[in-house]
Structure formats: structure tokens, C-alpha cells
């Protein structure tokens, strides 16, 4: 298939699922904080972006900007709504689909070593799991979301139902069987549809060719060498271990009213290699800078992360937005590559200019992780760091 480097029409925001028990009333209304303006200095714009928290859309925000263009670090909001303590800037959080960047990086390392062939079919590695109806799907198509495999089925259709099922444990093999039991959405390589299932299969491919667990491979190849001591995979543990700011989600409460529920405790096995990693802004900044400096994926394989397939989106008809692990948008007149992620109560992102001159990492404790479009606070941070689309 031909490929091209293309421009996105929107920042990719992917929401997943996060955690928790107790209930709280909706946050009090606060004055709206304006979008940062071009007339503001970068530091002032970033301060403006996270001012006024907690607010309706977020209870806390942690931000780190780095690179040759200057360093800025800030935090806003509260650790939790019950005590009102200031947010912990070193807190761990659920990074959601930022996990896909780690998965793609390990898969590309294995391709560099000749242990994983990007042009070989996924079924040739997992013949007992991938049915013949998906025999044409390649490893590369799993990584750039052009595989045509539909999403797995999960119980529930509303946030309240998903919350009730938050402790269910999902095996990756079962998720793959659920997805591949259905008809393809499109022929492999003909469209792009951003879904978790391709990365669930990629995690299983990593396990098959290394004869090791996915989690240990990421730890051995990325977390350990970079010293990312606060980044880990939770497995079946629904809690965030160590210091963390609470996440909240707007939903219907037990008394029938709509308000904020603490969702800090929530199982993430449905995400696995596509979205269950827990990290900090300091660790993700170190990871982002190493990635864009070519210290994690090297040589020609790095180009896979900066090349978009020449197809259109399955749902919108817009040009493809995702490469292997990353996506791209033009902000402030230049290309910015990165990845957003979300679980209930948490949104996160890593981003950088292609040459690494300006990096951004944020965690936003959003109350609308499944909302339409991008979280307002997260959008303000992105514009403050790089400029408008």
C-alpha cells in the first residue's frame, strides 16, 4: 500500500474506562476561563489554560512542557473533592491509549530484530486465534488501524452500566474471539478505523514471538532502560497504587440525580496493551523525549510512527489520522505528533514537534471522559503549548 505523511483535521482524543466507588455532588459552577490567546507569553498561556480548577469539566491538571524552546511545569486543581487538598504534581494517573505508543514501540523493536514481520499476516503468528476470514490482516495494519476488525463486545451501553461492571476481568484472547467472530468492517488496508482491538492482538503477537509476557517485554525494553520507575501495568488490580489524584465522572447517582462519582477504582483489563498503563507526567516526558530522539525505535522502523496510511477514515471519510502508535496535527503552523488517552476520570497526552524542540505531557482529571469532542481543559493546554490549528 502507498503511504503518505498527511495532516490531521482534529486532535485525536480516545476515551476508554477508569475507576471507583464513592459519590459526590456536582462541582459548584465556576467562572469560565478563556482560551489562551496568541498575545500571551507561553508561560502565561499555560497558566491560563489550567486556571480555575476544579471546574465543571475537570478537577485537576498536571502539565510539563520541555525541549529547546523552554521548560514549564504546572499543576492546578485538587487531589480530591472531599478534602480540597491541592493536586499532587507527582501523582500517578491512568494514561489510557498512550499505552499504544509503548506497544507500537516494542512491536517495531521486534521488527527491527527480525522477530516480527510487519508485512506478514497476524494469523500466521496466531493461527489458533485469528480465523481465516481475517487471514489478510498484516501486523502493520494492526498498528495503523487499517485492519478492518470490529470492536469486541462488552456488557453495558451507558456509563452507569459500565460502572456497575467495572470489576469484570477481560482476557485478551476472549476479546479477540469476540471481535473476529463478526464480519470485517472493510477489506484490510482499505480504510482506517481507530479501535483498541488491533493493539490487543499486537500485545498477543509480542507474547507469541518473545515467549514472554507483554508487560515484561515493555518493562525490559522501555521502562527499565529509561528509568520509568512510576510507570506500570495494573493487571487485574483496579486501584492505582501509590500517590494519585482522584478521578470523577459525571453520571446518574443512586438517588436519581446527576452528579460526580469518584471513579478512581476501576478495572482496566478491557484496555490491556491498548490502554491500561499507569504513569506520571515526569515519566511520560522522559519517554516522549527519548522516543523523538530515536532512542527507543531506531532507523527506518521509526518512520512507521511518522507515516499515515493513504486511506480515509471508516466513519468520517476524512484522511487517515493515525500512524503506528501516533497521530499528527498542525498547531501553530507546524506538525505536532503525539497520542492522547482516556479512562473514566482521566485524560492524558504526550506530544512533540517532529524534531523534539517542544514536548508536552499532561494529565487532566476530566469529568467527561466520554464526552463529545476534546475535553475543554485539555484543549486549552494543547493550544497554549503549540498554538491554534
Amino acid at each position: 500500500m502507498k503511504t503518505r505523511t498527511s495532516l490531521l483535521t482534529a486532535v485525536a482524543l480516545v476515551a476508554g474506562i477508569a475507576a471507583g466507588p464513592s459519590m459526590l455532588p456536582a462541582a459548584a459552577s465556576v467562572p469560565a476561563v478563556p482560551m489562551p490567546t496568541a498575545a500571551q507569553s507561553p508561560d502565561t498561556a499555560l497558566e491560563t489554560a489550567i486556571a480555575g480548577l476544579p471546574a465543571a469539566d475537570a478537577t485537576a491538571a498536571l502539565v510539563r512542557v520541555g525541549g529547546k524552546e523552554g521548560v514549564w511545569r504546572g499543576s492546578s486543581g485538587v487531589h480530591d473533592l472531599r478534602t480540597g487538598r491541592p493536586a499532587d504534581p507527582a501523582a500517578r494517573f491512568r494514561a489510557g491509549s498512550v499505552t499504544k505508543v509503548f506497544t507500537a514501540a516494542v512491536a517495531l523493536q521486534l521488527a527491527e530484530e527480525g522477530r516480527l514481520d510487519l508485512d506478514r499476516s497476524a494469523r500466521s503468528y496466531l493461527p489458533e486465534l485469528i480465523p481465516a476470514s481475517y487471514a489478510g490482516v498484516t501486523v502493520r495494519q494492526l498498528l495503523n488501524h487499517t485492519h478492518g476488525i470490529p470492536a469486541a463486545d462488552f456488557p453495558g451501553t451507558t456509563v452507569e452500566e459500565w460502572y456497575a461492571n467495572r470489576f469484570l476481568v477481560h482476557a485478551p484472547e476472549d476479546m479477540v474471539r469476540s471481535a473476529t467472530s463478526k464480519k470485517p468492517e472493510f477489506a484490510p488496508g482499505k480504510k482506517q478505523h481507530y479501535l483498541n482491538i488491533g493493539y490487543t492482538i499486537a500485545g498477543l503477537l509480542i507474547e507469541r514471538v518473545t515467549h514472554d509476557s507483554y508487560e515484561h517485554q515493555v518493562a525490559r525494553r522501555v521502562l527499565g532502560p529509561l528509568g520509568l520507575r512510576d510507570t506500570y501495568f495494573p493487571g487485574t488490580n483496579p486501584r492505582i497504587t501509590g500517590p494519585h489524584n482522584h478521578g470523577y465522572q459525571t453520571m446518574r447517582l443512586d438517588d436519581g440525580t446527576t452528579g460526580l462519582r469518584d471513579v478512581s477504582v476501576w478495572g482496566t483489563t478491557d484496555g490491556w496493551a491498548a490502554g491500561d498503563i499507569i504513569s506520571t507526567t515526569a515519566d511520560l516526558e522522559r519517554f516522549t523525549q527519548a522516543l523523538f530522539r530515536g532512542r527507543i525505535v531506531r532507523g527506518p522502523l521509526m518512520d512507521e510512527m511518522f507515516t499515515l496510511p493513504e486511506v480515509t477514515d471508516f466513519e468520517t471519510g476524512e484522511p487517515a489520522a493515525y500512524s503506528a502508535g501516533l497521530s499528527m496535527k498542525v498547531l501553530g503552523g507546524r506538525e505536532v505528533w503525539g497520542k492522547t488517552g482516556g479512562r473514566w476520570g482521566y485524560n492524558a497526552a504526550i506530544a512533540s514537534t517532529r524534531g523534539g524542540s517542544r514536548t508536552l505531557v499532561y494529565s487532566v482529571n476530566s469529568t467527561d471522559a466520554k464526552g463529545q469532542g476534546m475535553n475543554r481543559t485539555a484543549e486549552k493546554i494543547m493550544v497554549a503549548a503549540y498554538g491554534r490549528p
Side-chain angles (χ1 to χ4, degrees), residues 142-164:
L142 294 176
L143 297 179
N144 66 18
H145 304 280
T146 60
H147 46 75
I149 303 173
D153 291 328
F154 298 99
T157 57
T158 67
V159 61
E160 292 81 11
E161 290 171 338
W162 292 320
Y163 176 78

Side-chain angles (χ1 to χ4, degrees), residues 166-203:
R166 66 193 181 279
F167 298 132
L168 291 180
V169 174
H170 305 275
E173 295 85 355
D174 290 342
M175 291 188 284
V176 175
R177 292 187 188 98
S178 170
T180 58
S181 68
K182 295 178 277 188
K183 294 180 180 179
E185 293 185 325
F186 48 83
K190 297 301 182 181
K191 295 282 184 181
Q192 184 175 79
H193 190 188
Y194 181 91
L195 293 170
N196 281 350
I197 191 63
Y199 277 74
T200 302
I201 299 173

Side-chain angles (χ1 to χ4, degrees), residues 2 5 10 25 38 42 47 102 104 115 123 144 178 192 215-216 238 249 251 292 316 336 345 384:
K2 286 185 176 180
T5 299
E47 290 172 0
F102 289 81
R115 302 170 72 180
R123 187 169 191 263
N144 66 18
S178 170
Q192 184 175 79
E215 294 86 350
H216 185 254
Q249 178 66 34
M251 66 172 76
F292 280 77
T316 68
V336 177

Side-chain angles (χ1 to χ4, degrees), residues 92-293:
R92 293 175 174 177
F93 52 84
R94 302 187 191 279
S97 285
V98 174
T99 308
K100 292 182 176 70
V101 190
F102 289 81
T103 304
V106 171
L108 293 173
Q109 283 186 5
L110 291 168
E112 183 183 10
E113 296 165 10
R115 302 170 72 180
L116 199 57
D117 186 342
L118 299 183
D119 294 313
R120 185 174 163 185
S121 73
R123 187 169 191 263
S124 67
Y125 292 101
L126 298 167
E128 78 289 357
L129 190 60
I130 308 296
S133 55
Y134 289 100
V137 173
T138 67
V139 176
R140 177 180 284 105
Q141 289 163 351
L142 294 176
L143 297 179
N144 66 18
H145 304 280
T146 60
H147 46 75
I149 303 173
D153 291 328
F154 298 99
T157 57
T158 67
V159 61
E160 292 81 11
E161 290 171 338
W162 292 320
Y163 176 78
N165 293 315
R166 66 193 181 279
F167 298 132
L168 291 180
V169 174
H170 305 275
E173 295 85 355
D174 290 342
M175 291 188 284
V176 175
R177 292 187 188 98
S178 170
T180 58
S181 68
K182 295 178 277 188
K183 294 180 180 179
E185 293 185 325
F186 48 83
K190 297 301 182 181
K191 295 282 184 181
Q192 184 175 79
H193 190 188
Y194 181 91
L195 293 170
N196 281 350
I197 191 63
Y199 277 74
T200 302
I201 299 173
L204 291 170
L205 290 179
I206 290 169
E207 294 194 333
R208 178 59 55 89
V209 302
T210 63
H211 306 288
D212 191 11
S213 73
Y214 160 79
E215 294 86 350
H216 185 254
Q217 281 294 305
V218 177
R220 186 178 74 81
R221 293 169 174 272
V222 182
L223 308 188
L226 294 181
L228 307 184
R229 296 179 180 86
D230 288 309
T231 302
Y232 74 99
F233 295 92
T236 58
N237 185 354
R239 297 183 179 275
I240 302 174
T241 62
H244 59 279
N245 300 316
H246 288 227
Y248 299 88
Q249 178 66 34
T250 302
M251 66 172 76
R252 190 178 65 254
L253 304 180
D254 293 344
D255 62 3
T257 64
T258 297
L260 295 181
R261 189 188 291 269
D262 188 325
V263 291
S264 306
V265 181
W266 196 317
T268 58
T269 55
D270 64 298
W272 193 50
D276 73 347
I277 207 165
I278 290 172
S279 191
T280 63
T281 55
D283 271 12
L284 289 183
E285 181 178 62
R286 189 176 302 129
F287 171 72
T288 302
Q289 292 174 347
L291 181 72
F292 280 77
R293 289 170 183 164

